[in-house]
Amino acid sequence: IATATTVLCAALSFPVAYYLALRAPEQWKRILVVLTVIPFWTSFLIRTYAWMLLLRSEGVINSALMYVGLIDEPLKLLYSDFAVLVGQVYGELPFMILPIYVALDRLDLSLLEAAQDLGANRFWTFLKVTVPLARPGLIAGTVLVFIPSLGAFITPDLLGGAKSVMVGNLIQNQFSQLNQPFGSALSLILTVAVLLLLWIALRAGLKANELA
């Protein structure tokens, strides 16, 4: 789920960050960036409860789908891995958008013009110039999204119920059941995994900066 969250956030964030940095009118850029971080003004717990209201059987999504005739009975959206994934992507999306936006905002537009002057069309310019130069932001966003997703327990607990158990929930349950040795062992494994991921991201970031 943490990997899927990171991949989806990257896929959704890159077009948004690209538009904010390179295509948005200058007078609207700051406003759009503020709109990106507006969800942080509300508690993450409250936003998770809001998703419960949206995804439940009699919630907004099922009611709308039944109203337009796309379904005959409510879909089982809540208390599933799908609900956890939706909640995770929604919660972590700004952490992916902002680093990519910062990387693209520093991009020298003359490099794009040079690539097109040398015969590259827009697709290859994007693939060969824009994406590599945005790699440091993409790496930073991956770290900021994947590591919190790996240890998440609020979203899986509320949106997944008993059907979705991630390592964060498992650790929480072990300490709640006074099984401190197992909970401590899992916490240590998670800490080592996070440190390893940070080391890999640091090496990848240094390599990306060297290539840039």
Side-chain angles (χ1 to χ4, degrees):
I1 290 178
T3 302
T5 299
T6 306
V7 172
L8 285 174
C9 282
L12 294 173
S13 297
F14 208 101
V16 176
Y18 183 86
Y19 176 79
L20 288 176
L22 303 178
R23 291 288 182 264
E26 196 64 33
Q27 65 271 22
W28 286 98
K29 188 176 292 187
R30 291 184 179 180
I31 297 175
L32 293 174
V33 172
V34 171
L35 291 176
T36 303
V37 300
I38 273 183
F40 292 141
W41 297 1
T42 307
S43 168
F44 182 72
L45 183 61
I46 294 175
R47 287 183 280 143
T48 304
Y49 276 118
W51 272 108
M52 293 179 68
L53 296 175
L54 291 172
L55 295 173
R56 63 184 182 178
S57 297
E58 63 277 13
V60 175
I61 295 176
N62 273 313
S63 298
L65 291 176
M66 292 180 67
Y67 179 79
V68 298
L70 293 177
I71 58 175
D72 296 325
E73 57 183 18
L75 300 174
K76 296 180 180 179
L77 301 176
L78 193 59
Y79 304 131
S80 64
D81 288 343
F82 170 78
V84 175
L85 187 60
V86 169
Q88 286 291 107
V89 170
Y90 168 76
E92 305 295 343
L93 196 60
F95 292 108
M96 184 69 78
I97 293 176
L98 294 178
I100 298 176
Y101 163 74
V102 171
L104 291 174
D105 194 46
R106 298 174 180 174
L107 190 148
D108 188 355
L109 295 180
S110 63
L111 296 174
L112 305 182
E113 295 173 358
Q116 292 178 355
D117 289 340
L118 292 172
N121 56 29
R122 289 186 177 182
F123 173 77
W124 287 110
T125 300
F126 175 80
L127 195 64
K128 295 292 186 178
V129 180
T130 305
V131 174
L133 291 177
R135 193 176 299 167
L138 189 59
I139 293 173
T142 299
V143 172
L144 291 174
V145 170
F146 184 78
I147 291 178
S149 298
L150 194 63
F153 67 93
I154 292 179
T155 304
D157 195 35
L158 295 179
L159 297 182
K163 297 181 180 179
S164 296
V165 179
M166 296 178 66
V167 65
N169 304 95
L170 189 57
I171 293 172
Q172 179 194 27
N173 292 335
Q174 296 311 308
F175 281 100
S176 299
Q177 297 170 8
L178 302 181
N179 190 3
Q180 287 93 344
F182 186 42
S184 300
L186 290 174
S187 301
L188 181 60
I189 293 172
L190 182 60
T191 302
V192 172
V194 168
L195 291 175
L196 180 62
L197 290 169
L198 286 173
W199 179 78
I200 294 172
L202 179 61
R203 293 292 301 272
L206 291 174
K207 187 176 180 180
N209 288 330
E210 291 175 0
L211 292 175

